[in-house]
Amino acid sequence: MSQTPPRHSRRGLIGPFAIVGLSLAVWTGWWFYLADRVETRLAVQAEGLRRAGWQVKHEPVSVTGWPFRVRVAFPAADVMAPSGHGVAAPELVAEASAWNPGHWVLLAPDGLILTRAGKGQVAIEGEALRLSVSHLRDRFPDLRIELVRSTFTPVAGAEPFPLAAAERIELYTRPHLTDGQAATDEMDVLFRLTEGRGRAGGPVEGATRQGRLSAEVEATIEQASRLRGVDRAGVFASWTAAGGRFTAVKGRLQAGESSARLASDALRARGDGRLEGRLTLTAERPGEAIAGLAGARSGAVDRAGAAGAAAAAGVDDDRPVDLVLLFRDGRTWLGPFALAPAPKLF
């Protein structure tokens, strides 16, 4: 007499699929909630900027990226601050992981146009143009700007731009830490330029003898909270008026065959945005860079002053030499010689 084999329950197979389906439904609901919240918040922030005097224009926004990302695309983006500085791009894209919406990356995949107040526009292209920001709930979020293998082309009618190209440009900011704790109103900043190439006839090309310029400079910004906003006077204007300073400045420069380590206890800005203060340098072959600067065709360079400074520094001396640059009266001085206008922040 044959015996009917027992039938196995299929409930054990249905359970895992039900769990996966439920998880997918919950995650999809979260993604659409997050996408809607992001789109709404962006619209509110854009309207707030317009009320503050900004010009914010773009074609209809699209939000994609399901299931793991939130990707917000702004076609034909054009943003102009009250100060006259702005950016425009065929498309700007903001991305964040769906599980970490506090860390955003802004990309310009097709390049952008940078508008410099009173100086005109420059077209910027590169392998990567990105800005990332994280820790948005902190007093000072972490900020990173990176331009990889970028080129700079002034638009017709614009003033020249110091660089023609660079292998890499980076700017990082984060809260300053004291004994492991974030300082009340201080922020650290690091700027890094790797293998920058100056425009033809400009001061960078002259100082590097048609070579490459690399720089790394870090500092602490006091009164950092006064950097908020970009009004008609520029982002540094209210900071300067409040007594803001760059402190603990240090870095290194490589200009062609010349190199230097630099340091300053404090630098500040004048009312017109030009730096003031004392910068010490321990330089190797500084005369070559200064002599090259004297030969630049840029109208901003005091060629007679640069020639005198080159002679005083010793063009053929390979020994390290200690120098002091003074930013005073809107000019950059090496001893009694005026080299060029002091660097301008705004």
Side-chain angles (χ1 to χ4, degrees):
M1 184 176 177
S2 61
Q3 211 172 23
T4 303
R7 300 182 63 182
H8 296 284
S9 173
R10 296 184 178 179
R11 293 179 181 177
L13 296 176
I14 296 174
F17 285 103
I19 293 173
V20 171
L22 179 61
S23 300
L24 182 60
V26 171
W27 181 261
T28 299
W30 157 251
W31 187 91
F32 278 101
Y33 165 77
L34 178 62
D36 179 72
R37 185 178 178 185
V38 167
E39 192 170 4
T40 300
R41 181 169 293 183
L42 286 172
V44 170
Q45 290 180 343
E47 186 57 35
L49 289 174
R50 292 187 183 101
R51 288 196 300 269
W54 291 60
Q55 298 177 34
V56 181
K57 303 175 184 177
H58 53 77
E59 297 297 324
V61 172
S62 63
V63 183
T64 57
W66 181 90
F68 300 120
R69 295 182 302 156
V70 177
R71 183 182 188 275
V72 186
F74 303 86
D78 191 347
V79 181
M80 183 72 70
S83 62
H85 298 283
V87 294
E91 183 181 53
L92 292 177
V93 177
E95 294 185 350
S97 298
W99 58 81
N100 184 18
H103 182 187
W104 284 88
V105 179
L106 180 66
L107 307 168
D110 300 315
L112 56 84
I113 299 292
L114 172 67
T115 298
R116 301 169 293 162
K119 295 183 178 181
Q121 298 179 322
V122 57
I124 304 176
E125 297 181 342
E127 284 190 9
L129 309 176
R130 56 178 171 256
L131 178 154
S132 66
V133 59
S134 59
H135 301 94
L136 293 172
R137 296 183 181 275
D138 292 352
R139 180 178 177 86
F140 302 123
D142 288 5
L143 178 71
R144 297 185 178 187
I145 298 175
E146 296 175 290
L147 285 69
V148 180
R149 294 187 176 91
S150 51
T151 60
F152 306 88
T153 307
V155 176
E159 290 187 16
F161 195 74
L163 294 176
E167 185 69 16
R168 198 175 193 94
I169 297 176
E170 302 163 272
L171 176 68
Y172 303 94
T173 70
R174 67 178 186 182
H176 179 67
L177 300 180
T178 302
D179 297 328
Q181 300 294 320
T184 304
D185 202 11
E186 296 181 350
M187 181 170 64
D188 290 337
V189 59
L190 168 65
F191 172 78
R192 185 181 294 129
L193 168 66
T194 304
E195 295 189 7
R197 178 167 55 85
R199 61 178 173 85
V204 173
E205 185 188 68
T208 61
R209 296 297 184 96
Q210 300 183 355
R212 298 291 185 265
L213 174 66
S214 294
E216 183 173 307
V217 182
E218 58 183 293
T220 297
I221 300 177
E222 296 181 345
Q223 302 283 342
S225 62
R226 298 302 294 266
L227 291 172
R228 64 184 183 276
V230 183
D231 58 20
R232 294 188 182 278
V235 68
F236 286 100
S238 61
W239 173 79
T240 300
R245 302 187 305 165
F246 295 102
T247 61
V249 180
K250 60 183 179 180
R252 58 183 178 83
L253 300 173
Q254 182 74 44
E257 297 299 322
S258 302
S259 64
R261 296 190 306 274
L262 58 89
S264 176
D265 291 334
L267 295 172
R268 64 177 71 248
R270 299 172 3 136
D272 62 359
R274 298 210 177 266
L275 279 183
E276 283 194 331
R278 175 188 176 99
L279 187 67
T280 61
L281 296 93
T282 300
E284 296 183 8
R285 301 179 67 87
E288 290 198 3
I290 302 171
L293 193 64
R297 299 193 299 272
S298 172
V301 176
D302 188 325
R303 299 176 67 179
V315 175
D316 299 322
D317 194 344
D318 291 338
R319 295 173 300 174
V321 58
D322 293 331
L323 302 173
V324 176
L325 285 180
L326 285 179
F327 304 122
R328 187 186 72 233
D329 301 328
R331 307 290 293 175
T332 300
W333 298 81
L334 180 58
F337 304 103
L339 302 180
K344 196 176 193 311
L345 297 181
F346 58 89

